[in-house]
Amino acid sequence: MAAKRDYYEVLGVERGADEAEVKKAFRKLARELHPDVNPGDPQAVERFREVAEAYEVLCDADTRARYDRFGHAGVDGSSLHTDQFMDFGSLSDLLGAFFGDDLFGGARGQRRGGDVAANVTLEFAEAAFGVERRLDIEVIGDCDRCSGTGAEPGSESHTCDTCGGQGRVQRVQQTALGQFVQTGACPTCGGRGVVIETPCSSCRGRGLRQVAETVEVQIPAGIMDGQRLQLRGRGNQGQPGGPRGDLYVGVRVRPHPSFERDGNDVVTVLNLPFTRAALGTTVTVETLDGEQQVELRAGTQPGDVMVLRGKGVPVLNGRGRGDHRVLVNVMLPQRLTDDQRRLLAEFEAAVADDTYKPDESFLGRIRSAFSG
């Protein structure tokens, strides 16, 4: 088992940090490391558990004193409760349980809405130069009948007697470390602060319904297949009246028929008959900017790379563009007529010692075509 890290190091505070500094450090790390914020990270739970454990020790004067004197051995036998913090439904609830307030600015018992995922498929050039797309999505939004209040229009509501209209209640637990105060949504009003006499007939008092929305998504130039865009505040509506979640748009890019992408570069494989490679020629190459003429010298070799500077993909969220590399594949004939065979035989008979020049860099040129 790996040795535990120093709790002060985990929170990133000095050993002489006061309670306010410890609390501030934990708030910052909790927002960054909580599993809700890192749903695709398998290590998120363990990393957050480490931070929560460090905070639980250092926020209490008694356990902190034992830890300062004896290290981990002084607190390992204590009744630490970091496991229970992994079971809260959201980061806002968890931080509220630690600090007894709403760290995200919501009133009463508001909860942030869930995130929504969508996908968009782009053509190669759209991904390269950027494009605006309209996405039709289904989200949880305010009920149009009751405008999100949960009450039937024209009906009355009254202040919740349980929470006094605050929408939140506190529960005090006695632990080995002293009193533990947990703040959560009021069970009577569900965090609204008011009790609804007649629930809305459309949403049955929830204040929320599934609604269709059209979202304008600006795809940035240079985006790659498999990347994801985050649109803040375009996900599901929070409850009751809490902030909306985010919309995550996964990007898929269709392959191009003439070339492929390598980072910010574009690579074309040019199939060139051996006669034209030997004699030299001019070819037409399709690029992101349209067709371009490329001159090939006489004696062009297999694996030669022609570089068209600045004709590649724009740098994502940056400046400039990659290059367009043209990799030459010299083709040899597989079927010959009698006349073609005779002519080649005559050519072979006329070959001199210096007609061919061994090229030991062939593999290097092939590698350079796909490594920039």
Side-chain angles (χ1 to χ4, degrees), residues 111-372:
R111 290 187 179 182
R112 176 183 179 274
D115 295 332
V116 175
N119 292 305
V120 61
T121 300
L122 308 176
E123 298 299 332
F124 194 98
E126 291 177 329
F129 295 119
V131 68
E132 186 176 275
R133 281 294 183 86
R134 295 166 60 92
L135 294 182
D136 295 323
I137 61 174
E138 295 283 338
V139 297
I140 303 300
D142 286 336
C143 172
D144 53 4
R145 180 173 177 79
C146 66
S147 300
T149 65
E152 183 71 12
S155 65
E156 296 183 356
S157 303
H158 63 82
T159 301
C160 176
D161 294 331
T162 302
C163 64
Q166 295 301 308
R168 302 180 72 83
V169 293
Q170 290 185 340
R171 289 181 295 173
V172 180
Q173 295 178 327
Q174 293 292 336
T175 72
L177 302 179
Q179 285 188 341
F180 176 74
V181 180
Q182 179 179 345
T183 303
C186 174
T188 301
C189 64
R192 293 182 181 275
V194 296
V195 175
I196 298 171
E197 296 291 347
T198 305
C200 172
S201 58
S202 179
C203 66
R204 299 181 179 180
R206 292 186 61 222
L208 302 173
R209 292 193 63 186
Q210 189 170 29
V211 297
E213 288 189 358
T214 299
V215 180
E216 300 284 348
V217 182
Q218 187 63 50
I219 310 294
I223 198 164
M224 298 183 68
D225 180 68
Q227 289 187 310
R228 190 173 66 163
L229 298 173
Q230 180 183 14
L231 279 68
R232 296 188 180 279
R234 299 311 302 264
N236 292 326
Q237 176 65 52
Q239 185 181 22
R244 293 183 62 165
D246 299 333
L247 171 63
Y248 289 90
V249 181
V251 176
R252 293 290 177 265
V253 181
R254 291 193 177 99
H256 195 279
S258 300
F259 44 72
E260 61 185 71
R261 183 170 177 174
D262 180 22
N264 291 319
D265 289 352
V266 169
V267 179
T268 293
V269 176
L270 175 64
N271 293 317
L272 189 67
F274 80 103
T275 49
R276 297 179 66 185
L279 298 173
T281 186
T282 299
V283 297
T284 300
V285 176
E286 183 178 0
T287 73
L288 284 169
D289 298 315
E291 294 184 344
Q292 179 163 332
Q293 299 295 310
V294 178
E295 293 187 5
L296 301 178
R297 62 179 176 82
T300 294
Q301 298 295 303
D304 276 355
V305 179
M306 310 293 115
V307 179
L308 307 179
R309 300 293 181 189
K311 294 296 183 180
V313 176
V315 177
L316 179 64
N317 298 324
R319 296 182 178 180
R321 293 173 59 176
D323 299 327
H324 189 134
R325 303 196 301 274
V326 182
L327 171 64
V328 178
N329 174 39
V330 176
M331 298 186 298
L332 299 176
Q334 295 181 333
R335 292 184 298 273
L336 296 173
T337 65
D338 290 342
D339 286 343
Q340 291 169 338
R341 191 179 302 277
R342 176 180 56 78
L343 291 172
L344 283 177
E346 291 178 0
F347 172 77
E348 177 65 20
V351 167
D353 292 339
D354 60 352
T355 301
Y356 295 104
K357 179 181 179 181
D359 189 352
E360 297 179 356
S361 63
F362 173 71
L363 291 179
R365 294 203 307 275
I366 293 293
R367 293 190 188 99
S368 69
F370 291 93
S371 63

Side-chain angles (χ1 to χ4, degrees), residues 76-108:
D76 281 348
S78 301
S79 300
L80 297 178
H81 295 83
T82 52
D83 283 345
Q84 65 177 300
F85 299 137
M86 298 300 109
D87 298 326
F88 288 105
S90 69
L91 176 58
S92 180
D93 287 345
L94 186 143
L95 294 180
F98 271 114
F99 304 118
D101 56 9
D102 190 337
L103 302 181
F104 294 92
R108 296 172 177 165

